[in-house]
PDB file of all heavy atoms in Angstrom:
ATOM      1  N   TYR A   1      59.453  81.423 119.633  1.00  0.00           N
ATOM      2  CA  TYR A   1      60.300  82.523 119.874  1.00  0.00           C
ATOM      3  C   TYR A   1      61.560  81.942 120.547  1.00  0.00           C
ATOM      4  O   TYR A   1      62.804  82.373 120.237  1.00  0.00           O
ATOM      5  CB  TYR A   1      59.684  83.412 120.835  1.00  0.00           C
ATOM      6  CG  TYR A   1      60.510  84.790 121.215  1.00  0.00           C
ATOM      7  CD1 TYR A   1      60.477  85.837 120.414  1.00  0.00           C
ATOM      8  CD2 TYR A   1      61.305  84.702 122.343  1.00  0.00           C
ATOM      9  CE1 TYR A   1      61.102  87.076 120.715  1.00  0.00           C
ATOM     10  CE2 TYR A   1      61.987  85.764 122.680  1.00  0.00           C
ATOM     11  CZ  TYR A   1      61.952  86.938 121.762  1.00  0.00           C
ATOM     12  OH  TYR A   1      62.742  88.104 122.192  1.00  0.00           O
ATOM     13  N   LYS A   2      61.406  81.028 121.461  1.00  0.00           N
ATOM     14  CA  LYS A   2      62.597  80.592 122.257  1.00  0.00           C
ATOM     15  C   LYS A   2      63.535  79.846 121.284  1.00  0.00           C
ATOM     16  O   LYS A   2      64.751  79.932 121.280  1.00  0.00           O
ATOM     17  CB  LYS A   2      62.223  79.615 123.443  1.00  0.00           C
ATOM     18  CG  LYS A   2      63.351  79.144 124.297  1.00  0.00           C
ATOM     19  CD  LYS A   2      62.760  78.418 125.394  1.00  0.00           C
ATOM     20  CE  LYS A   2      63.806  78.064 126.432  1.00  0.00           C
ATOM     21  NZ  LYS A   2      65.176  77.323 125.715  1.00  0.00           N
ATOM     22  N   VAL A   3      62.974  79.001 120.461  1.00  0.00           N
ATOM     23  CA  VAL A   3      63.680  78.196 119.515  1.00  0.00           C
ATOM     24  C   VAL A   3      64.591  78.966 118.501  1.00  0.00           C
ATOM     25  O   VAL A   3      65.756  78.927 118.350  1.00  0.00           O
ATOM     26  CB  VAL A   3      62.826  77.199 118.686  1.00  0.00           C
ATOM     27  CG1 VAL A   3      63.547  76.664 117.457  1.00  0.00           C
ATOM     28  CG2 VAL A   3      62.196  76.182 119.506  1.00  0.00           C
ATOM     29  N   VAL A   4      63.932  80.000 117.987  1.00  0.00           N
ATOM     30  CA  VAL A   4      64.585  80.974 117.134  1.00  0.00           C
ATOM     31  C   VAL A   4      65.630  81.775 117.767  1.00  0.00           C
ATOM     32  O   VAL A   4      66.826  81.928 117.335  1.00  0.00           O
ATOM     33  CB  VAL A   4      63.598  81.827 116.305  1.00  0.00           C
ATOM     34  CG1 VAL A   4      64.402  82.929 115.476  1.00  0.00           C
ATOM     35  CG2 VAL A   4      62.689  81.060 115.513  1.00  0.00           C
ATOM     36  N   VAL A   5      65.425  82.250 118.992  1.00  0.00           N
ATOM     37  CA  VAL A   5      66.400  83.106 119.710  1.00  0.00           C
ATOM     38  C   VAL A   5      67.629  82.244 120.238  1.00  0.00           C
ATOM     39  O   VAL A   5      68.819  82.628 120.078  1.00  0.00           O
ATOM     40  CB  VAL A   5      65.770  83.724 120.984  1.00  0.00           C
ATOM     41  CG1 VAL A   5      66.788  84.287 121.864  1.00  0.00           C
ATOM     42  CG2 VAL A   5      64.839  84.823 120.619  1.00  0.00           C
ATOM     43  N   ASP A   6      67.292  80.995 120.551  1.00  0.00           N
ATOM     44  CA  ASP A   6      68.389  80.075 121.140  1.00  0.00           C
ATOM     45  C   ASP A   6      69.279  79.762 119.775  1.00  0.00           C
ATOM     46  O   ASP A   6      70.437  79.608 119.923  1.00  0.00           O
ATOM     47  CB  ASP A   6      67.821  78.842 121.586  1.00  0.00           C
ATOM     48  CG  ASP A   6      67.272  79.016 123.019  1.00  0.00           C
ATOM     49  OD1 ASP A   6      67.397  80.043 123.678  1.00  0.00           O
ATOM     50  OD2 ASP A   6      66.613  78.095 123.472  1.00  0.00           O
ATOM     51  N   LYS A   7      68.598  79.551 118.588  1.00  0.00           N
ATOM     52  CA  LYS A   7      69.440  79.229 117.394  1.00  0.00           C
ATOM     53  C   LYS A   7      70.392  80.321 116.920  1.00  0.00           C
ATOM     54  O   LYS A   7      71.411  80.184 116.407  1.00  0.00           O
ATOM     55  CB  LYS A   7      68.526  78.861 116.397  1.00  0.00           C
ATOM     56  CG  LYS A   7      69.100  78.255 115.017  1.00  0.00           C
ATOM     57  CD  LYS A   7      68.216  77.892 114.041  1.00  0.00           C
ATOM     58  CE  LYS A   7      67.469  79.038 113.388  1.00  0.00           C
ATOM     59  NZ  LYS A   7      66.451  78.622 112.267  1.00  0.00           N
ATOM     60  N   SER A   8      69.825  81.600 117.315  1.00  0.00           N
ATOM     61  CA  SER A   8      70.530  82.800 116.849  1.00  0.00           C
ATOM     62  C   SER A   8      71.410  83.416 117.956  1.00  0.00           C
ATOM     63  O   SER A   8      71.869  84.534 117.801  1.00  0.00           O
ATOM     64  CB  SER A   8      69.554  83.846 116.364  1.00  0.00           C
ATOM     65  OG  SER A   8      68.694  83.220 115.463  1.00  0.00           O
ATOM     66  N   ILE A   9      71.731  82.692 118.975  1.00  0.00           N
ATOM     67  CA  ILE A   9      72.349  83.220 120.313  1.00  0.00           C
ATOM     68  C   ILE A   9      73.729  83.964 119.911  1.00  0.00           C
ATOM     69  O   ILE A   9      74.098  84.959 120.295  1.00  0.00           O
ATOM     70  CB  ILE A   9      72.383  82.299 121.356  1.00  0.00           C
ATOM     71  CG1 ILE A   9      72.749  83.094 122.666  1.00  0.00           C
ATOM     72  CG2 ILE A   9      73.331  81.074 120.918  1.00  0.00           C
ATOM     73  CD1 ILE A   9      72.531  82.265 123.857  1.00  0.00           C
ATOM     74  N   ASP A  10      74.474  83.180 119.043  1.00  0.00           N
ATOM     75  CA  ASP A  10      75.873  83.682 118.750  1.00  0.00           C
ATOM     76  C   ASP A  10      75.806  85.006 117.823  1.00  0.00           C
ATOM     77  O   ASP A  10      76.436  85.866 118.098  1.00  0.00           O
ATOM     78  CB  ASP A  10      76.686  82.572 117.979  1.00  0.00           C
ATOM     79  CG  ASP A  10      76.997  81.450 118.804  1.00  0.00           C
ATOM     80  OD1 ASP A  10      77.067  81.587 120.092  1.00  0.00           O
ATOM     81  OD2 ASP A  10      77.136  80.410 118.266  1.00  0.00           O
ATOM     82  N   THR A  11      74.828  84.982 116.968  1.00  0.00           N
ATOM     83  CA  THR A  11      74.634  86.252 116.300  1.00  0.00           C
ATOM     84  C   THR A  11      74.157  87.301 117.062  1.00  0.00           C
ATOM     85  O   THR A  11      74.632  88.525 116.939  1.00  0.00           O
ATOM     86  CB  THR A  11      73.524  85.919 115.078  1.00  0.00           C
ATOM     87  OG1 THR A  11      74.043  84.918 114.278  1.00  0.00           O
ATOM     88  CG2 THR A  11      73.314  87.144 114.280  1.00  0.00           C
ATOM     89  N   LEU A  12      73.276  87.141 118.005  1.00  0.00           N
ATOM     90  CA  LEU A  12      72.742  88.210 118.893  1.00  0.00           C
ATOM     91  C   LEU A  12      73.872  88.695 119.787  1.00  0.00           C
ATOM     92  O   LEU A  12      73.986  89.964 120.027  1.00  0.00           O
ATOM     93  CB  LEU A  12      71.651  87.638 119.750  1.00  0.00           C
ATOM     94  CG  LEU A  12      70.386  87.164 118.923  1.00  0.00           C
ATOM     95  CD1 LEU A  12      69.360  86.573 119.781  1.00  0.00           C
ATOM     96  CD2 LEU A  12      69.743  88.477 118.355  1.00  0.00           C
ATOM     97  N   ILE A  13      74.787  87.772 120.242  1.00  0.00           N
ATOM     98  CA  ILE A  13      75.805  88.340 121.082  1.00  0.00           C
ATOM     99  C   ILE A  13      76.660  89.237 120.356  1.00  0.00           C
ATOM    100  O   ILE A  13      77.224  90.187 120.805  1.00  0.00           O
ATOM    101  CB  ILE A  13      76.649  86.997 121.685  1.00  0.00           C
ATOM    102  CG1 ILE A  13      75.724  86.321 122.724  1.00  0.00           C
ATOM    103  CG2 ILE A  13      78.000  87.534 122.320  1.00  0.00           C
ATOM    104  CD1 ILE A  13      76.360  85.047 123.262  1.00  0.00           C
ATOM    105  N   ALA A  14      76.938  88.770 119.050  1.00  0.00           N
ATOM    106  CA  ALA A  14      77.833  89.667 118.205  1.00  0.00           C
ATOM    107  C   ALA A  14      77.340  90.957 117.949  1.00  0.00           C
ATOM    108  O   ALA A  14      78.160  91.933 117.805  1.00  0.00           O
ATOM    109  CB  ALA A  14      77.999  88.930 116.777  1.00  0.00           C
ATOM    110  N   ILE A  15      76.078  91.277 117.960  1.00  0.00           N
ATOM    111  CA  ILE A  15      75.481  92.595 117.694  1.00  0.00           C
ATOM    112  C   ILE A  15      75.073  93.144 119.250  1.00  0.00           C
ATOM    113  O   ILE A  15      74.406  94.260 119.140  1.00  0.00           O
ATOM    114  CB  ILE A  15      74.286  92.638 116.758  1.00  0.00           C
ATOM    115  CG1 ILE A  15      73.084  91.701 117.436  1.00  0.00           C
ATOM    116  CG2 ILE A  15      74.647  92.119 115.364  1.00  0.00           C
ATOM    117  CD1 ILE A  15      71.804  91.905 116.448  1.00  0.00           C
ATOM    118  N   GLY A  16      75.400  92.642 120.191  1.00  0.00           N
ATOM    119  CA  GLY A  16      75.239  93.107 121.533  1.00  0.00           C
ATOM    120  C   GLY A  16      74.094  92.913 122.415  1.00  0.00           C
ATOM    121  O   GLY A  16      73.816  93.492 123.371  1.00  0.00           O
ATOM    122  N   TYR A  17      73.329  91.753 122.055  1.00  0.00           N
ATOM    123  CA  TYR A  17      72.180  91.371 122.814  1.00  0.00           C
ATOM    124  C   TYR A  17      72.471  90.303 123.703  1.00  0.00           C
ATOM    125  O   TYR A  17      73.009  89.209 123.410  1.00  0.00           O
ATOM    126  CB  TYR A  17      71.033  91.103 121.979  1.00  0.00           C
ATOM    127  CG  TYR A  17      70.165  92.179 121.359  1.00  0.00           C
ATOM    128  CD1 TYR A  17      70.365  92.558 119.995  1.00  0.00           C
ATOM    129  CD2 TYR A  17      69.540  92.979 122.206  1.00  0.00           C
ATOM    130  CE1 TYR A  17      69.483  93.694 119.497  1.00  0.00           C
ATOM    131  CE2 TYR A  17      68.659  94.070 121.735  1.00  0.00           C
ATOM    132  CZ  TYR A  17      68.745  94.278 120.425  1.00  0.00           C
ATOM    133  OH  TYR A  17      68.082  95.466 119.898  1.00  0.00           O
ATOM    134  N   ASP A  18      72.080  90.392 124.966  1.00  0.00           N
ATOM    135  CA  ASP A  18      72.192  89.265 125.960  1.00  0.00           C
ATOM    136  C   ASP A  18      70.655  88.782 126.017  1.00  0.00           C
ATOM    137  O   ASP A  18      69.832  89.312 126.795  1.00  0.00           O
ATOM    138  CB  ASP A  18      72.600  89.769 127.322  1.00  0.00           C
ATOM    139  CG  ASP A  18      72.508  88.725 128.295  1.00  0.00           C
ATOM    140  OD1 ASP A  18      72.449  87.497 127.960  1.00  0.00           O
ATOM    141  OD2 ASP A  18      72.649  88.939 129.516  1.00  0.00           O
ATOM    142  N   SER A  19      70.332  87.736 125.165  1.00  0.00           N
ATOM    143  CA  SER A  19      69.096  87.213 125.131  1.00  0.00           C
ATOM    144  C   SER A  19      68.648  86.426 126.345  1.00  0.00           C
ATOM    145  O   SER A  19      67.586  85.890 126.476  1.00  0.00           O
ATOM    146  CB  SER A  19      68.850  86.379 123.819  1.00  0.00           C
ATOM    147  OG  SER A  19      69.795  85.232 123.851  1.00  0.00           O
ATOM    148  N   THR A  20      69.609  86.055 127.202  1.00  0.00           N
ATOM    149  CA  THR A  20      69.398  85.370 128.386  1.00  0.00           C
ATOM    150  C   THR A  20      68.737  86.227 129.579  1.00  0.00           C
ATOM    151  O   THR A  20      68.260  85.743 130.567  1.00  0.00           O
ATOM    152  CB  THR A  20      70.551  84.644 128.950  1.00  0.00           C
ATOM    153  OG1 THR A  20      71.560  85.672 129.231  1.00  0.00           O
ATOM    154  CG2 THR A  20      71.265  83.811 127.856  1.00  0.00           C
ATOM    155  N   SER A  21      68.911  87.556 129.421  1.00  0.00           N
ATOM    156  CA  SER A  21      68.287  88.416 130.338  1.00  0.00           C
ATOM    157  C   SER A  21      66.944  89.014 130.001  1.00  0.00           C
ATOM    158  O   SER A  21      66.604  89.041 128.846  1.00  0.00           O
ATOM    159  CB  SER A  21      69.301  89.628 130.582  1.00  0.00           C
ATOM    160  OG  SER A  21      69.184  90.553 129.524  1.00  0.00           O
ATOM    161  N   GLU A  22      66.073  89.375 130.982  1.00  0.00           N
ATOM    162  CA  GLU A  22      64.799  89.886 130.749  1.00  0.00           C
ATOM    163  C   GLU A  22      64.910  91.139 129.899  1.00  0.00           C
ATOM    164  O   GLU A  22      64.062  91.321 128.902  1.00  0.00           O
ATOM    165  CB  GLU A  22      63.952  90.090 132.090  1.00  0.00           C
ATOM    166  CG  GLU A  22      62.542  90.583 131.689  1.00  0.00           C
ATOM    167  CD  GLU A  22      61.685  90.613 133.131  1.00  0.00           C
ATOM    168  OE1 GLU A  22      62.256  90.401 134.249  1.00  0.00           O
ATOM    169  OE2 GLU A  22      60.667  91.044 132.918  1.00  0.00           O
ATOM    170  N   ILE A  23      65.759  92.018 130.351  1.00  0.00           N
ATOM    171  CA  ILE A  23      65.801  93.249 129.628  1.00  0.00           C
ATOM    172  C   ILE A  23      66.272  93.010 128.173  1.00  0.00           C
ATOM    173  O   ILE A  23      65.716  93.747 127.253  1.00  0.00           O
ATOM    174  CB  ILE A  23      67.012  94.246 130.324  1.00  0.00           C
ATOM    175  CG1 ILE A  23      66.453  94.612 131.698  1.00  0.00           C
ATOM    176  CG2 ILE A  23      67.320  95.420 129.409  1.00  0.00           C
ATOM    177  CD1 ILE A  23      67.611  95.374 132.478  1.00  0.00           C
ATOM    178  N   GLY A  24      67.249  92.041 127.973  1.00  0.00           N
ATOM    179  CA  GLY A  24      67.668  91.733 126.605  1.00  0.00           C
ATOM    180  C   GLY A  24      66.554  91.244 125.807  1.00  0.00           C
ATOM    181  O   GLY A  24      66.300  91.593 124.494  1.00  0.00           O
ATOM    182  N   ARG A  25      65.653  90.510 126.361  1.00  0.00           N
ATOM    183  CA  ARG A  25      64.598  89.743 125.628  1.00  0.00           C
ATOM    184  C   ARG A  25      63.400  90.941 125.263  1.00  0.00           C
ATOM    185  O   ARG A  25      62.968  90.943 124.193  1.00  0.00           O
ATOM    186  CB  ARG A  25      63.780  88.773 126.457  1.00  0.00           C
ATOM    187  CG  ARG A  25      64.456  87.535 126.603  1.00  0.00           C
ATOM    188  CD  ARG A  25      63.790  86.351 127.115  1.00  0.00           C
ATOM    189  NE  ARG A  25      63.243  86.615 128.440  1.00  0.00           N
ATOM    190  CZ  ARG A  25      63.924  86.255 129.431  1.00  0.00           C
ATOM    191  NH1 ARG A  25      65.160  85.685 129.390  1.00  0.00           N
ATOM    192  NH2 ARG A  25      63.469  86.414 130.861  1.00  0.00           N
ATOM    193  N   ILE A  26      63.266  91.839 126.137  1.00  0.00           N
ATOM    194  CA  ILE A  26      62.351  92.933 125.874  1.00  0.00           C
ATOM    195  C   ILE A  26      62.899  93.839 124.773  1.00  0.00           C
ATOM    196  O   ILE A  26      62.133  94.141 123.826  1.00  0.00           O
ATOM    197  CB  ILE A  26      62.014  93.850 127.203  1.00  0.00           C
ATOM    198  CG1 ILE A  26      61.351  92.975 128.232  1.00  0.00           C
ATOM    199  CG2 ILE A  26      61.252  95.059 126.803  1.00  0.00           C
ATOM    200  CD1 ILE A  26      61.146  93.614 129.581  1.00  0.00           C
ATOM    201  N   LYS A  27      64.192  94.283 124.863  1.00  0.00           N
ATOM    202  CA  LYS A  27      64.641  95.081 123.752  1.00  0.00           C
ATOM    203  C   LYS A  27      64.756  94.466 122.513  1.00  0.00           C
ATOM    204  O   LYS A  27      64.421  94.950 121.385  1.00  0.00           O
ATOM    205  CB  LYS A  27      66.125  95.573 124.294  1.00  0.00           C
ATOM    206  CG  LYS A  27      66.184  96.467 125.274  1.00  0.00           C
ATOM    207  CD  LYS A  27      67.549  96.990 125.627  1.00  0.00           C
ATOM    208  CE  LYS A  27      68.199  97.578 124.432  1.00  0.00           C
ATOM    209  NZ  LYS A  27      67.607  98.899 124.094  1.00  0.00           N
ATOM    210  N   LEU A  28      65.047  93.007 122.473  1.00  0.00           N
ATOM    211  CA  LEU A  28      65.122  92.334 121.345  1.00  0.00           C
ATOM    212  C   LEU A  28      63.806  92.204 120.612  1.00  0.00           C
ATOM    213  O   LEU A  28      63.602  92.377 119.450  1.00  0.00           O
ATOM    214  CB  LEU A  28      65.641  90.886 121.518  1.00  0.00           C
ATOM    215  CG  LEU A  28      65.645  89.934 120.338  1.00  0.00           C
ATOM    216  CD1 LEU A  28      66.695  90.522 119.259  1.00  0.00           C
ATOM    217  CD2 LEU A  28      66.258  88.595 120.773  1.00  0.00           C
ATOM    218  N   LEU A  29      62.698  91.910 121.387  1.00  0.00           N
ATOM    219  CA  LEU A  29      61.426  91.807 120.962  1.00  0.00           C
ATOM    220  C   LEU A  29      60.990  93.138 120.201  1.00  0.00           C
ATOM    221  O   LEU A  29      60.172  93.214 119.247  1.00  0.00           O
ATOM    222  CB  LEU A  29      60.307  91.592 122.065  1.00  0.00           C
ATOM    223  CG  LEU A  29      58.896  91.387 121.599  1.00  0.00           C
ATOM    224  CD1 LEU A  29      58.876  89.993 120.667  1.00  0.00           C
ATOM    225  CD2 LEU A  29      57.988  91.026 122.830  1.00  0.00           C
ATOM    226  N   SER A  30      61.401  94.253 120.730  1.00  0.00           N
ATOM    227  CA  SER A  30      60.965  95.539 120.111  1.00  0.00           C
ATOM    228  C   SER A  30      61.581  95.644 118.656  1.00  0.00           C
ATOM    229  O   SER A  30      61.136  96.436 117.824  1.00  0.00           O
ATOM    230  CB  SER A  30      61.307  96.745 121.025  1.00  0.00           C
ATOM    231  OG  SER A  30      62.676  96.908 121.021  1.00  0.00           O
ATOM    232  N   GLU A  31      62.775  94.918 118.441  1.00  0.00           N
ATOM    233  CA  GLU A  31      63.271  94.922 117.189  1.00  0.00           C
ATOM    234  C   GLU A  31      62.732  93.969 116.161  1.00  0.00           C
ATOM    235  O   GLU A  31      62.767  94.270 114.967  1.00  0.00           O
ATOM    236  CB  GLU A  31      64.878  94.703 117.315  1.00  0.00           C
ATOM    237  CG  GLU A  31      65.500  95.784 118.252  1.00  0.00           C
ATOM    238  CD  GLU A  31      65.584  97.220 117.535  1.00  0.00           C
ATOM    239  OE1 GLU A  31      65.135  97.371 116.438  1.00  0.00           O
ATOM    240  OE2 GLU A  31      66.078  98.190 118.208  1.00  0.00           O
ATOM    241  N   ILE A  32      62.459  92.866 116.830  1.00  0.00           N
ATOM    242  CA  ILE A  32      62.033  91.712 115.920  1.00  0.00           C
ATOM    243  C   ILE A  32      60.656  91.897 115.128  1.00  0.00           C
ATOM    244  O   ILE A  32      60.295  91.426 114.210  1.00  0.00           O
ATOM    245  CB  ILE A  32      61.933  90.303 116.800  1.00  0.00           C
ATOM    246  CG1 ILE A  32      63.350  89.824 117.068  1.00  0.00           C
ATOM    247  CG2 ILE A  32      61.192  89.279 115.935  1.00  0.00           C
ATOM    248  CD1 ILE A  32      63.425  88.591 117.648  1.00  0.00           C
ATOM    249  N   ARG A  33      59.738  92.818 115.933  1.00  0.00           N
ATOM    250  CA  ARG A  33      58.480  93.258 115.278  1.00  0.00           C
ATOM    251  C   ARG A  33      57.598  91.946 115.093  1.00  0.00           C
ATOM    252  O   ARG A  33      57.081  91.777 113.971  1.00  0.00           O
ATOM    253  CB  ARG A  33      58.762  93.991 113.936  1.00  0.00           C
ATOM    254  CG  ARG A  33      59.733  95.057 114.023  1.00  0.00           C
ATOM    255  CD  ARG A  33      59.162  96.343 114.705  1.00  0.00           C
ATOM    256  NE  ARG A  33      59.934  97.387 114.330  1.00  0.00           N
ATOM    257  CZ  ARG A  33      61.034  97.913 114.992  1.00  0.00           C
ATOM    258  NH1 ARG A  33      61.459  97.244 116.170  1.00  0.00           N
ATOM    259  NH2 ARG A  33      61.623  98.971 114.465  1.00  0.00           N
ATOM    260  N   LEU A  34      57.164  91.369 116.148  1.00  0.00           N
ATOM    261  CA  LEU A  34      56.251  90.140 115.954  1.00  0.00           C
ATOM    262  C   LEU A  34      54.907  90.575 115.538  1.00  0.00           C
ATOM    263  O   LEU A  34      54.218  89.725 115.147  1.00  0.00           O
ATOM    264  CB  LEU A  34      56.161  89.431 117.317  1.00  0.00           C
ATOM    265  CG  LEU A  34      57.427  88.670 117.670  1.00  0.00           C
ATOM    266  CD1 LEU A  34      57.184  88.002 119.045  1.00  0.00           C
ATOM    267  CD2 LEU A  34      57.716  87.630 116.680  1.00  0.00           C
ATOM    268  N   TYR A  35      54.581  91.889 115.580  1.00  0.00           N
ATOM    269  CA  TYR A  35      53.242  92.240 115.092  1.00  0.00           C
ATOM    270  C   TYR A  35      53.101  91.975 113.538  1.00  0.00           C
ATOM    271  O   TYR A  35      52.090  92.155 113.007  1.00  0.00           O
ATOM    272  CB  TYR A  35      52.889  93.678 115.484  1.00  0.00           C
ATOM    273  CG  TYR A  35      53.865  94.681 115.005  1.00  0.00           C
ATOM    274  CD1 TYR A  35      53.857  95.257 113.791  1.00  0.00           C
ATOM    275  CD2 TYR A  35      54.856  95.138 115.925  1.00  0.00           C
ATOM    276  CE1 TYR A  35      54.824  96.232 113.296  1.00  0.00           C
ATOM    277  CE2 TYR A  35      55.729  96.096 115.518  1.00  0.00           C
ATOM    278  CZ  TYR A  35      55.813  96.762 114.166  1.00  0.00           C
ATOM    279  OH  TYR A  35      56.586  97.519 113.843  1.00  0.00           O
TER     280      TYR A  35
END
Protein backbone atom coordinates (compact mmCIF):
# COMPACT_ATOMS: atom_id res chain seq x y z
CA TYR A 1 0.00 0.00 0.00
CA LYS A 2 2.77 2.42 0.95
CA VAL A 3 4.78 1.71 -2.21
CA VAL A 4 1.80 2.28 -4.52
CA VAL A 5 0.59 5.39 -2.70
CA ASP A 6 4.09 6.92 -2.66
CA LYS A 7 4.46 6.22 -6.38
CA SER A 8 1.12 7.89 -7.06
CA ILE A 9 1.57 10.87 -4.74
CA ASP A 10 1.61 13.51 -7.51
CA THR A 11 -1.52 12.06 -9.07
CA LEU A 12 -3.26 11.95 -5.69
CA ILE A 13 -2.37 15.57 -4.96
CA ALA A 14 -3.81 16.54 -8.36
CA ILE A 15 -7.20 15.04 -7.43
CA GLY A 16 -7.16 16.53 -3.94
CA TYR A 17 -5.82 13.81 -1.61
CA ASP A 18 -3.22 14.45 1.07
CA SER A 19 -1.94 10.88 1.43
CA THR A 20 0.53 11.99 4.12
CA SER A 21 -2.27 12.61 6.64
CA GLU A 22 -4.23 9.96 8.52
CA ILE A 23 -7.53 11.40 7.33
CA GLY A 24 -6.29 11.34 3.76
CA ARG A 25 -5.23 7.70 4.06
CA ILE A 26 -8.59 6.67 5.51
CA LYS A 27 -10.56 8.47 2.78
CA LEU A 28 -8.25 7.13 0.09
CA LEU A 29 -8.62 3.57 1.33
CA SER A 30 -12.41 3.83 1.07
CA GLU A 31 -11.97 4.65 -2.61
CA ILE A 32 -9.25 2.13 -3.46
CA ARG A 33 -11.50 -0.80 -2.43
CA LEU A 34 -8.88 -3.21 -1.16
CA TYR A 35 -11.58 -5.78 -0.48
